[in-house]
Amino acid sequence: KRLSDIFGRAINIEQLLEKESNIFQTASEAVREFVNSIEFTWVGIPIGSGFHVDHILTREIGLKLFNSFVQNKKMNLFFYEDLPYSLNKNWLNEAINHCRTNLKLKRLHVSIDDYIDKKKELIMLYQSQIKERDADQITNYAKTLDSCGFYERIWLVSNKGGI
């Protein structure tokens, strides 16, 4: 479900969290329990660009729980571009700015030269949502991030004063 289906074109994160508060609280607690039950070092969540409700709720859960993750020193959190939504620069910038409200983000480019064919194969699993031309657009985008090959862009998170 897209946010525009819920609220029309005027998107408000607080309205979404209020409307989906039961899901948000249940998912937040499940994530908190999961994080506390295992040892790992890296967690990636979508940056929540565009109007994809699941991606935005996931991002907000990550933002809400970031301080407890840091206190446990169990993980490093990073955001990844949720493509194809992040191809829209306005949506991407809005999502980045939202995350920067309480966090310091460090942008990194990660080489995916060895995985670009597999990436396209996996993208094509979403045939109900993504057509081959969209998959081509996404893989071509990976070439625009760096002239030396195919790259993904991620934002490593550090604490800037609490959430």
Side-chain angles (χ1 to χ4, degrees):
K1 202 176 229 190
R2 294 172 61 91
L3 282 173
S4 57
D5 296 334
I6 297 171
F7 299 111
R9 297 311 277 171
I11 304 306
N12 182 301
I13 300 301
E14 287 73 29
Q15 283 180 303
L16 171 66
L17 296 179
E18 184 179 321
K19 181 170 179 57
E20 303 293 346
S21 64
N22 289 340
I23 292 170
F24 183 74
Q25 292 304 324
T26 301
S28 293
E29 285 309 310
V31 170
R32 185 187 306 279
E33 288 177 25
F34 176 72
V35 167
N36 289 327
S37 71
I38 64 170
E39 301 249 348
F40 55 90
T41 57
W42 293 93
V43 172
I45 59 175
I47 199 149
S49 57
F51 305 108
H52 196 291
V53 172
D54 296 350
H55 292 199
I56 291 173
L57 286 174
T58 303
R59 176 192 70 202
E60 293 303 309
I61 290 168
L63 292 171
K64 176 182 178 187
L65 300 179
F66 178 73
N67 280 335
S68 63
F69 292 159
V70 170
Q71 288 172 356
N72 292 334
K73 296 188 174 154
K74 289 182 132 183
M75 64 166 275
N76 295 296
L77 179 66
F78 68 92
F79 294 108
Y80 62 87
E81 288 182 292
D82 37 359
L83 298 166
Y85 312 106
S86 290
L87 295 174
N88 181 312
K89 301 242 186 276
N90 291 330
W91 291 351
L92 178 59
N93 289 332
E94 185 176 303
I96 292 168
N97 289 335
H98 177 77
C99 294
R100 281 188 175 143
T101 302
N102 294 303
L103 301 172
K104 184 176 177 183
L105 303 178
K106 179 180 180 181
R107 186 180 66 204
L108 301 172
H109 289 177
V110 179
S111 175
I112 58 168
D113 284 336
D114 295 337
Y115 312 104
I116 193 66
D117 293 332
K118 186 66 170 177
K119 179 176 178 76
K120 185 171 181 182
E121 179 185 325
L122 293 172
I123 290 168
M124 290 308 298
L125 293 176
Y126 292 91
Q127 288 182 356
S128 66
Q129 300 168 346
I130 295 179
K131 305 300 177 213
E132 184 146 4
R133 69 172 166 28
D134 300 319
D136 289 338
Q137 188 177 18
I138 291 168
T139 54
N140 289 336
Y141 173 72
K143 284 192 282 188
T144 68
L145 297 176
D146 194 298
S147 61
C148 297
F150 293 94
Y151 285 82
E152 294 271 341
R153 184 166 41 182
I154 65 170
W155 289 265
L156 198 55
V157 178
S158 64
N159 203 340
K160 183 180 173 181
I163 294 177

